[in-house]
Amino acid sequence: MGVSKADFMRLNIVVKLGFMLTWVNAVLSASSTEQLSTIFEQCCLEPDSCLEWRPLFSGNGSATIQAICSLASITCDSQQNIIELKAPGMGLTCNLPDAPIQELQNLQLLDLSNNRISGPIPEFLPESLVEIRMNNNELIGAVPHSLATHPNLKTLRLDYNQIESLPIEWTSMVYDASNSPFPLQAVHLGHNTLQGSFPQGLAYFPFLRVLELQHNTLSGPMGPKDSSGAFRQLNLLDVSDNSLSGSLPSWTDSVKTFIAGTGNTFTAASDSNAPSSDASSSGLSGGAIAGIVIGVLAGVGCIAAAIVLFIRKRKSATTTKEPPNAYERYI
C-alpha cells in the first residue's frame, strides 16, 4: 500500500518540527551553559570561591547542561532550563550588571546572598523570577522600576546592602495597584542607605505581608493619610532607626507586628473631643495642683527611664542579623 502525497507531506512536517525543537533545545542549553560560564569567569575570581563550579568551568572541565543541572546549586526543569540559581556564600566578587543573569529567561529563584556582589541592580531581570535573595552584598543605587511592578515576583530580599533610593511606583500614589495582579508578598530593605519618603505606594499592593525598612534614613510622615484599605494584608512592618515623623496613620493599628523603634519622632493623633483640663475650674488649690504636678513628673521620669533601659536592651539583643527566612512566619 503506497503513501499518499498528503500523508508524506504531513510526515515531512512532523519530522522537520522534531528537528526544529531539538535544535531550539540545543541552542537554549548552549545559551544556559554559556551564561553560567560567563558568571563563573566574571564573579569567581578568588581561588576558594565557587568550589562546586570549578571542576566544570576551569581547566579542562566539561560544562555540559547535564552536568550543570546535576549541581546542588542549580535546579533545572524537565527541558533542562535553569529555574533556580542558588549561590549563597560562594565567594562571588563582581559587578552585578556584568553577570548575564537576565539571559536566564526561565529563572524563578535567584539566591546570591552573602557574597561581595557590587554595582547597581540591572533594570531588566527575568520576568519569570518569583524570589530574589541578594541580601548581604555591596549593591548600590536604586531599586529598579522593573522590580517595582514585576509580574511574578513574590519575595525581594535586598537587606544589608548600600541601596539609596526606591522607585517612584513605591514612594508616591501615582500608581493604582489596588486591583493589580502583582503578587509581591515580602520586601526586605533593612540596613541600607535609603533616603526619601516612606513607600506609601506599596499600601495597595494587595498581597504585601512583610515590609522591612529598618536602619535607613527615610524621613517625613508615614502615608497614606487615607487609611481605607491601606496595607490590609500587612503582618510585619519595621521602620525602626529612621527619621520618620508626624502622627501615625490609623492603618498601623491593624498591622500585627509594627516596630517603630528608635530614631523616629512620631506623635499621637490629636483628639478634638478630649475634655478640657482647665485648672481654674477644677476647684483644687494651688498647693494641691503643684503636688499633683510634681508627682506626675516623678512618675513620668521613672517610666521614661524604664522605657530607655528596655529599648537599649532590646536594641542590643537585635543587632545580629536575622536568621535566614525567619520572616516566613509572617507570610
Side-chain angles (χ1 to χ4, degrees):
M1 182 176 178
V3 178
S4 67
K5 185 177 180 180
D7 290 337
F8 179 79
M9 292 180 64
R10 281 194 289 267
L11 180 61
N12 190 35
I13 292 173
V14 170
V15 171
K16 288 182 177 179
L17 285 175
F19 278 119
M20 184 177 295
L21 289 174
T22 302
W23 177 80
V24 169
N25 285 332
V27 170
L28 291 176
S29 297
S31 177
S32 297
T33 303
E34 182 180 346
Q35 305 313 326
L36 260 294
S37 178
T38 303
I39 293 173
F40 176 82
E41 293 172 1
Q42 295 286 344
C43 301
C44 302
L45 305 178
E46 301 296 330
D48 59 346
S49 64
C50 310
L51 296 179
E52 185 190 36
W53 295 0
R54 287 192 176 278
L56 298 182
F57 296 109
S58 61
N60 297 321
S62 177
T64 63
I65 189 61
Q66 292 81 6
I68 289 175
C69 290
S70 67
L71 297 173
S73 57
I74 302 293
T75 300
C76 298
D77 61 15
S78 59
Q79 301 299 317
Q80 296 183 328
N81 298 307
I82 297 175
I83 59 174
E84 292 185 356
L85 172 56
K86 298 163 289 186
M90 287 184 61
L92 303 177
T93 54
C94 61
N95 191 290
L96 188 57
D98 293 337
I101 295 169
Q102 59 268 30
E103 301 299 329
L104 300 173
Q105 293 300 316
N106 296 284
L107 197 63
Q108 298 176 19
L109 169 62
L110 175 62
D111 187 352
L112 302 177
S113 58
N114 299 292
N115 286 289
R116 286 188 295 162
I117 298 174
S118 58
I121 304 170
E123 180 64 39
F124 299 104
L125 288 172
E127 289 193 351
S128 55
L129 278 168
V130 175
E131 183 170 359
I132 296 175
R133 303 175 192 166
M134 292 193 289
N135 48 297
N136 298 92
N137 278 288
E138 300 170 6
L139 298 171
I140 62 172
V143 176
H145 296 280
S146 59
L147 292 184
T149 55
H150 194 282
N152 294 301
L153 190 64
K154 291 184 178 180
T155 300
L156 179 62
R157 288 210 63 175
L158 296 173
D159 40 315
Y160 294 95
N161 280 286
Q162 300 171 29
I163 296 172
E164 303 163 5
S165 61
L166 300 173
I168 191 173
E169 292 90 344
W170 288 1
T171 58
S172 68
M173 300 299 295
V174 299
Y175 189 84
D176 182 11
S178 57
N179 296 314
S180 74
F182 304 131
L184 194 61
Q185 294 181 3
V187 175
H188 304 267
L189 285 163
H191 300 268
N192 277 283
T193 57
L194 290 175
Q195 301 177 7
S197 58
F198 178 81
Q200 61 177 343
L202 287 171
Y204 301 104
F205 275 61
F207 305 106
L208 189 65
R209 291 174 172 82
V210 174
L211 179 56
E212 291 188 324
L213 300 166
Q214 69 274 23
H215 296 278
N216 284 288
T217 55
L218 298 174
S219 59
M222 284 178 58
K225 294 181 179 180
D226 180 9
S227 298
S228 176
F231 294 107
R232 61 178 181 269
Q233 297 288 339
L234 201 60
N235 293 329
L236 171 63
L237 173 61
D238 189 348
V239 295
S240 56
D241 292 295
N242 278 280
S243 300
L244 297 169
S245 59
S247 59
L248 288 173
S250 60
W251 56 259
T252 57
D253 295 335
S254 62
V255 179
K256 292 182 179 179
T257 303
F258 172 48
I259 305 174
T262 58
N264 303 305
T265 54
F266 295 124
T267 58
S270 60
D271 186 357
S272 60
N273 295 323
S276 173
S277 57
D278 187 359
S280 63
S281 61
S282 64
L284 296 176
S285 65
I289 293 175
I292 292 173
V293 170
I294 292 173
V296 169
L297 290 176
V300 169
C302 292
I303 293 173
I307 290 174
V308 170
L309 181 61
F310 172 77
I311 291 174
R312 286 181 177 176
K313 288 183 177 180
R314 181 175 180 180
K315 187 174 182 180
S316 63
T318 58
T319 52
T320 56
K321 296 178 181 180
E322 189 177 31
N325 302 330
Y327 65 90
E328 288 184 351
R329 66 183 183 274
Y330 296 104
I331 295 180

